[in-house]
Amino acid sequence: ELVAAGIDIVSMQVQYSLLDARPENALVGYALANGIGLLCYGTVAGGFLSDKWLGKPEPAPPFENRSLTKYKLIIDDFGGWALFQELLAALRKIADRHNSDIASVASRLMLDRPAVAAVSVRCTGRRFG
């Protein structure tokens, strides 16, 4: 409605990841057609898309925080823990070829998607300096 009203929208924040491709249903095409860049969050699924979870058994609630609860539901919708482990293994192979890690590969793959202008990754638990 905003675009139709003549308001110039340059970006939109949206949850979008290798596990959650809902924006591909219509939003990506609309964004491309209207020059809107997608600012993606959830690209590492609250930390699930990382080396930490490769080869680990499926976790059970209660989870450490609400973010993990949400992203575990997304993993279930994606196809379950076994399929998620296959994805992590494939990402690890790519990471090995580039001397990288799973989270960086998952983020880079999203940056390469049409209409994606940036990804947002929250880092916690470490102090620098």
Side-chain angles (χ1 to χ4, degrees):
E1 290 179 18
L2 293 172
V3 172
I7 296 172
D8 188 26
I9 305 294
V10 297
S11 65
M12 177 180 179
Q13 187 175 22
V14 62
Q15 182 174 302
Y16 190 18
S17 73
L18 296 173
L19 297 171
D20 184 4
R22 289 175 297 166
E24 294 173 6
N25 293 335
L27 183 59
V28 169
Y30 185 84
L32 288 169
N34 291 281
I36 299 170
L38 300 179
L39 308 177
C40 303
Y41 68 90
T43 57
V44 296
F48 275 116
L49 282 170
S50 69
D51 288 285
K52 174 182 176 179
W53 292 98
L54 178 61
K56 300 292 185 192
E58 184 171 2
F63 295 104
E64 184 178 320
N65 57 54
R66 302 250 327 131
S67 180
L68 292 178
T69 300
K70 174 176 88 167
Y71 289 115
K72 176 56 172 72
L73 291 170
I74 290 170
I75 291 168
D76 294 342
D77 287 345
F78 172 73
W81 195 254
L83 183 59
F84 173 66
Q85 286 295 314
E86 289 180 32
L87 174 62
L88 288 180
L91 293 172
R92 182 68 254 161
K93 287 180 183 178
I94 295 167
D96 286 343
R97 288 197 313 261
H98 296 280
N99 193 30
S100 189
D101 58 82
I102 288 173
S104 295
V105 171
S107 294
R108 180 68 221 188
L109 288 168
M110 293 314 299
L111 279 169
D112 288 342
R113 298 275 173 108
V116 173
V119 298
S120 173
V121 179
R122 185 179 83 182
C123 297
T124 61
R126 291 188 181 177
R127 292 192 172 265
F128 297 95

